[in-house]
Amino acid sequence: MEIILERMHMECVVVRNGAEAIRCAMGQTVYRAIFMDTGMPIVDGDEATRMIKSTYNSNKNTPIVAMAAYEDEVNDALYDKVLVKPVTAHQIRQLLSGEL
């Protein structure tokens, strides 16, 4: 994912777990999109997404895209979009341009 975004000349922030994702989202930077792996350690993607969307922060309204191995393991109502791995550059371009 990081390589795909960098090849598209986009800056990205990579975190190791859901707790770090929450910390980044609660910071001052407003992100264009948040790509959330649903199976992250410490705090899973679902819980991190709930926390980001339910509290007052600079990314409360930022689209959060679930990234999961299987579509049936994703709570669709929680995320703005769902991408099933492996994710392609074409999917990312479509998503960021509003086509997906």
Side-chain angles (χ1 to χ4, degrees), residues 18 22 36-50 79:
I22 293 167
M36 185 73 71
D37 190 317
T38 58
M40 288 197 300
I42 301 178
V43 177
D44 69 23
D46 287 357
E47 196 56 40
T49 298
R50 276 189 204 93
Y79 297 94

Side-chain angles (χ1 to χ4, degrees), residues 14-70:
V14 178
V15 298
R16 296 176 196 204
N17 58 59
E20 286 183 18
I22 293 167
R23 246 183 267 118
C24 283
M26 300 290 183
Q28 299 298 319
T29 303
V30 178
Y31 298 101
R32 182 172 175 185
I34 296 172
F35 293 93
M36 185 73 71
D37 190 317
T38 58
M40 288 197 300
I42 301 178
V43 177
D44 69 23
D46 287 357
E47 196 56 40
T49 298
R50 276 189 204 93
M51 182 70 111
I52 293 166
K53 288 185 175 260
S54 68
T55 58
Y56 181 77
N57 65 76
S58 55
N59 288 290
K60 179 179 177 68
N61 297 314
T62 299
I64 300 180
V65 180
M67 295 177 53
Y70 305 99

